[in-house]
Amino acid sequence: MKRHLISAADLTRDDAVLILDTAEEMARVADRPIKKLPTLRGLTVVNLFFEDSTRTRISFEAAAKRLSADVINFSAKGSSVSKGESLKDTALTLEAMGADAVVIRHHASGAPYRLATSGWIDSAVVNAGDGTHEHPTQALLDAFTMRRRLVGRDAGLGKDLNGRRITIVGDVLHSRVARSNVQLLHTLGAEVTVVAPPTLVPIGVESWPCEVSYSLDDVLPKSDAVMMLRVQRERMNAAFFPTEREYSRRYGLDGDRMAKMPEHAIVMHPGPMNRGMEITAEVADSDRCTAVEQVANGVSTRMAVLYLLLGGSEPAVTTTSTPRIEESK
Amino acid sequence: MSKILIRGAKVLGGEAQDVLIDGETIAEVGQNLSAEGATVIEAEGQVLLPGLVDLHTHLREPGREDSETVLTGTRAAASGGYTAVFAMANTFPVADTAGVVEQVWRLGKESGYCDVQPIGAVTVGLEGKQLSELGAMHDSAARVTVFSDDGKCVDDAVIMRRALEYVKAFGGVVAQHAQEPRLTEGAQMNEGVVSAELGLGGWPAVAEESIIARDVLLAEHVGSRVHICHLSTAGSVEIVRWAKSRGIDVTAEVTPHHLLLTDELVRSYNAVYKVNPPLRTERDVMALREALADGTIDIVATDHAPHPHEDKDCEWAAAAMGMVGLETALSVVQQTMVETGLLDWAGIAERMSFAPARIGGLDNHGRPVSAGEPANLTLVDTSYRGVVDPAHFASRSRNTPYEGRELPGRVTHTFLRGRATVVDGKLA
Ligand SMILES: [Zn+2]
């Protein structure tokens, strides 16, 4: 695996399967009475958040702590674009503090890439969501969830998502979750279709490894998993769609539509959900919806990512795990 | 004043000749001229061009002297072989009054490296609402004839129409920065395959093309001439070609960077590639080269846009738009137009000196290299190959997209009215 996780496209099929397999090992730890591994003891993980996201931050925080890393939360909301502290100065500060990994969330697309490649910092960089670019750990936890549900918890080990038909619905244009998922799911052998009103599909989508459809009803019967993206209500003010009602009529998932899906098919949502907009309460609360599971899987998946970036080659879960010291520091 | 003999240079890339400068003028052009009383510059193999003229330079003074001043900008211009630059109006304060344009004009005179011809803002504060005192700027000591809100588009069709009409009274021209503002809200890069992957806000080609289409039709309707700044798309080329075939009085410029670089470079998220209009696709680059060669695009203009390091050394969305260009323009044009066989050096002289001087109404620049003409000259070692090192720039800013890139050609001497501003590649 590479030293950083910036884009889902950085992962080979084998990298991704290794992460998912490792995440399964991590998930088993979560079922133990003591949920902690000593693997990253002595290492420091910084959660650098330029954008509010309590959900993602606590997920990474829980992941790092279960691996016994020291966690520093650094909230730099809004300070970058204004003439406050720049991304570069923040990076130099973290470097001086001896961060071994920086988990960065930023409102600007490409900020994690800049952080990893500008020579400002030595540590591993994990993209926790940048602008409308990517959110690779979300895609990994989604793939983990799909593999468990569609292939099986134990049966899935070592396997990818070959031939599974995954549909991603909603504001693809502004969605980092969609970008990362399309890349990763393609790498894992899935057949991906994105569904959205044409206004919410990016110009240039033809280079993506997926199909594009404007009709949810056409695609639902041919889907093994349907991922509903959050759609911000404000988008209608920029004329991306006429009204909320019209959006949910055409692209929202309700009970009737869910009934058109194959019986085994699941409904996913990265959260937070806009109930009544892209998804009805009936669907959100049904046992086909994996939204809550995805949150739990997020911790295991992020443990796997941190472990593989920082811990290296040893098995993650052993009875005599020794603390590892990062040599480059 | 002393005499200078430039010996054996290929004038406009043609036959080797001697050129004798006496005082501020070219005294003689011919074979085996006498070197008596003259300083001799051995120029065998080098190409002698009329001093270059840049219709689109941001000198930043007044207001952003941390990025460039008239002095540093004109030193950069001389290094790049320029003898005249047109200074864009988007300074602080905006060059929308006779007072500000005269200030810039005076600073240019004092610099002594290159003539500075101020451009006046079309509208007060570049706000696109009310016409600036265009006539007063023209009547001032700065004799402004080119008007532009560059950086912003004159997007209101009525304001644009009136400006086009009004400046006819004194032979002025409006230079349009074609960018439909609503189509480019939050725009960060060319809208296409790369922006879709990178998740950066798209700057669609149609935002440029729709304004150009509107403006050539307006120019036709009111019988005015219009100049289009930094054309960047294949579609814009088609519109200008159509307009010219229809007899519309339109001229257009292209920047060196749009002749060489594409939006693929944005994948690095390195903000040195952030510029407005944005880098486009390979197809656009090829169309622009072809259009410059066939005359659809009249000139090369640098859009030299200096920015301090901290405005580029940051995340993409927070970075300023623009690239410095004066010191690399001729090299980029040599690589993209001469070495590809699309233009010869006479063609370069036309597009980087004669035509820009003509469009901007400068009488003493862009003149033939012949006896009696002002001695504004640029001598180029076209066989030189070198790697761009911004540490050697005369500009105060270093925001070049060519750092570390090998480019051909080097300006060895620049003469402004007979005085050498650059000697052996160094500022005099
Ligand atoms: Zn401009």
Side-chain angles (χ1 to χ4, degrees):
Chain A
M1 236 173 91
K2 294 194 176 180
R3 231 165 62 73
H4 310 290
L5 180 58
I6 307 295
S7 161
D10 296 343
L11 300 170
T12 64
R13 184 250 174 218
D14 289 350
D15 289 337
V17 170
L18 175 64
I19 293 171
L20 301 188
D21 289 352
T22 309
E24 282 292 2
E25 289 181 55
M26 297 298 178
R28 275 196 277 277
V29 174
D31 296 338
R32 293 182 184 174
I34 296 169
K35 295 180 166 46
K36 231 170 161 172
L37 292 173
T39 322
L40 299 185
R41 189 179 293 148
L43 299 188
T44 300
V45 174
V46 176
N47 286 323
L48 175 59
F49 275 56
F50 286 85
E51 189 181 75
D52 266 339
S53 176
T54 312
R55 301 164 63 98
T56 305
R57 185 180 54 72
I58 60 177
S59 180
F60 270 106
E61 188 170 351
K65 283 184 171 164
R66 284 190 194 169
L67 293 168
S68 303
D70 295 322
V71 178
I72 299 173
N73 288 314
F74 194 117
S75 172
K77 200 178 106 165
S79 67
S80 175
V81 179
S82 60
K83 281 283 172 192
E85 192 176 28
S86 70
L87 178 61
K88 179 181 181 177
D89 288 328
T90 307
L92 297 176
T93 304
L94 300 182
E95 178 75 352
M97 280 160 43
D100 297 287
V102 176
V103 174
I104 176 176
R105 169 80 151 222
H106 204 289
H107 43 78
S109 300
Y113 185 89
R114 285 287 272 168
L115 187 66
T117 58
S118 294
W120 301 331
I121 199 165
D122 250 356
S123 49
V125 175
V126 179
N127 181 0
D130 62 328
T132 54
H133 178 222
E134 287 221 30
H135 194 357
T137 60
Q138 177 73 42
L140 284 162
L141 77 87
D142 290 339
F144 180 86
T145 305
M146 286 180 237
R147 194 177 74 169
R148 263 198 176 181
R149 284 285 200 122
L150 302 175
V151 187
R153 184 173 182 151
D154 295 322
L157 287 176
K159 302 238 172 68
D160 55 25
L161 292 168
N162 193 35
R164 310 290 155 163
R165 300 158 302 172
I166 316 296
T167 300
I168 302 173
V169 188
D171 185 357
V172 177
L173 176 63
H174 300 98
S175 176
R176 51 195 173 209
V177 176
R179 281 178 178 75
S180 286
N181 261 297
V182 168
Q183 291 291 349
L184 183 69
L185 291 169
H186 171 72
T187 301
L188 289 171
E191 293 163 16
V192 185
T193 304
V194 299
V195 178
T199 47
L200 291 174
V201 177
I203 297 283
V205 75
E206 64 273 12
S207 71
W208 291 15
C210 68
E211 299 293 315
V212 177
S213 169
Y214 304 137
S215 167
L216 182 56
D217 290 317
D218 286 355
V219 182
L220 283 178
K222 298 173 279 182
S223 302
D224 298 310
V226 178
M227 185 184 300
M228 304 305 297
L229 301 172
R230 180 180 165 79
V231 175
Q232 293 180 343
R233 293 187 158 85
E234 310 84 74
R235 298 288 178 217
M236 78 180 186
N237 299 329
F240 286 106
F241 48 85
T243 63
E244 287 173 45
R245 289 314 313 151
E246 170 143 333
Y247 182 85
S248 35
R249 260 199 309 272
R250 293 178 69 86
Y251 295 99
L253 193 60
D254 60 9
D256 291 348
R257 281 214 168 100
M258 188 164 66
K260 294 182 183 170
M261 293 164 48
E263 216 139 279
H264 67 275
I266 55 172
V267 176
M268 306 181 69
H269 198 297
M273 292 189 272
N274 273 324
R275 288 167 183 253
M277 182 75 180
E278 70 269 5
I279 193 165
T280 62
E282 183 191 355
V283 177
D285 297 332
S286 80
D287 56 6
R288 300 176 81 171
C289 178
T290 61
V292 176
E293 227 170 290
Q294 285 168 264
V295 175
N297 293 342
V299 178
S300 313
T301 309
R302 286 167 179 136
M303 286 173 78
V305 167
L306 289 174
Y307 166 75
L308 290 168
L309 287 178
L310 291 177
S313 50
E314 284 176 32
V317 188
T318 60
T319 42
T320 56
S321 185
T322 47
R324 298 185 53 82
I325 312 286
E326 182 77 331
E327 278 126 35
S328 68
K329 280 265 101 40
Chain B
M1 249 181 126
S2 57
K3 290 183 181 178
I4 299 166
L5 181 67
I6 303 169
R7 189 181 269 158
K10 294 182 274 184
V11 176
L12 271 57
E15 175 187 12
Q17 300 196 72
D18 298 346
V19 173
L20 182 67
I21 299 171
D22 188 358
E24 296 192 354
T25 48
I26 298 171
E28 214 178 337
V29 178
Q31 306 288 346
N32 304 315
L33 299 185
S34 160
E36 204 185 311
T39 309
V40 176
I41 295 168
E42 297 295 352
E44 270 97 86
Q46 298 196 48
V47 170
L48 187 66
L49 298 173
L52 306 183
V53 176
D54 188 18
L55 199 63
H56 193 145
T57 309
H58 296 275
L59 291 178
R60 302 290 188 223
E61 190 176 5
R64 283 307 298 271
E65 292 84 354
D66 59 327
S67 52
E68 196 80 285
T69 63
V70 172
L71 180 60
T72 60
T74 51
R75 285 166 65 92
S79 298
Y82 287 88
T83 54
V85 298
F86 285 74
M88 271 299 173
N90 62 339
T91 48
F92 304 94
V94 172
D96 57 5
T97 62
V100 179
V101 293
E102 284 192 349
Q103 181 196 353
V104 173
W105 176 77
R106 251 183 226 106
L107 287 166
K109 286 249 165 259
E110 287 161 15
S111 94
Y113 283 93
C114 168
D115 285 351
V116 174
Q117 176 56 54
I119 290 173
V122 176
T123 65
V124 175
L126 309 176
E127 283 176 358
K129 300 209 161 63
Q130 187 193 345
L131 289 185
S132 309
E133 291 195 350
L134 307 173
M137 288 189 273
H138 179 73
D139 294 338
S140 74
R143 302 297 298 169
V144 176
T145 57
V146 180
F147 299 91
S148 182
D149 278 359
D150 183 64
K152 289 193 177 170
C153 179
V154 182
D155 66 307
D156 183 311
V158 172
I159 298 284
M160 186 61 182
R161 175 198 168 146
R162 300 286 182 243
L164 287 169
E165 287 179 298
Y166 190 81
V167 301
K168 269 200 291 191
F170 39 86
V173 63
V174 176
Q176 176 69 295
H177 168 117
Q179 176 179 4
E180 209 292 315
R182 288 276 287 147
L183 284 172
T184 49
E185 281 169 17
Q188 295 288 331
M189 68 170 298
N190 179 51
E191 182 167 48
V193 163
V194 182
S195 67
E197 273 180 48
L198 298 185
L200 289 171
W203 200 130
V206 65
E208 173 174 310
E209 294 155 4
S210 58
I211 292 291
I212 295 175
R214 181 199 75 177
D215 287 353
V216 295
L217 291 171
L218 280 175
E220 177 179 49
H221 181 62
V222 300
S224 293
R225 77 185 167 115
V226 64
H227 177 75
I228 309 297
C229 296
H230 42 53
L231 219 89
S232 71
T233 76
S236 297
V237 167
E238 285 308 308
I239 295 164
V240 170
R241 193 172 279 141
W242 171 84
K244 287 190 167 183
S245 75
R246 213 172 139 92
I248 296 172
D249 199 357
V250 56
T251 53
E253 72 191 31
V254 62
T255 70
H257 46 271
H258 287 114
L259 291 172
L260 180 62
L261 309 176
T262 71
D263 64 351
E264 289 293 328
L265 291 162
V266 182
R267 291 183 188 281
S268 67
Y269 286 107
N270 186 339
V272 295
Y273 301 116
K274 186 172 177 181
V275 66
N276 192 18
L279 300 178
R280 305 287 187 184
T281 67
E282 187 71 21
R283 182 179 153 260
D284 295 303
V285 166
M286 292 306 155
L288 293 168
R289 289 184 186 180
E290 195 191 312
L292 184 64
D294 72 20
T296 302
I297 294 175
D298 301 81
I299 64 169
V300 174
T302 65
D303 196 6
H304 177 82
H307 290 290
H309 186 61
E310 60 271 23
D311 288 358
K312 287 291 192 180
D313 198 22
C314 58
E315 58 274 24
W316 184 275
M321 299 196 188
M323 303 170 166
V324 293
L326 286 167
E327 294 172 78
T328 46
L330 190 58
S331 292
V332 173
V333 173
Q334 181 179 334
Q335 177 170 323
T336 56
M337 300 302 295
V338 181
E339 298 191 348
T340 52
L342 288 167
L343 280 176
D344 57 16
W345 286 103
I348 301 302
E350 167 64 19
R351 285 155 185 80
M352 296 184 77
S353 179
F354 299 148
R358 218 160 45 226
I359 293 166
L362 284 187
D363 296 335
N364 295 316
H365 289 273
R367 301 296 306 165
V369 181
S370 51
E373 296 289 350
N376 297 317
L377 296 166
T378 297
L379 190 58
V380 191
D381 177 2
T382 57
S383 62
Y384 177 88
R385 286 277 177 296
V387 172
V388 176
D389 180 0
H392 297 146
F393 280 178
S395 170
R396 180 162 283 183
S397 290
R398 302 279 179 269
N399 53 304
T400 175
Y402 310 114
E403 179 171 7
R405 202 182 262 266
E406 191 185 278
L407 290 177
R410 171 170 166 267
V411 171
T412 60
H413 292 75
T414 309
F415 299 92
L416 176 63
R417 279 182 293 281
R419 192 176 73 80
T421 54
V422 173
V423 176
D424 292 329
K426 295 191 177 61
L427 283 163

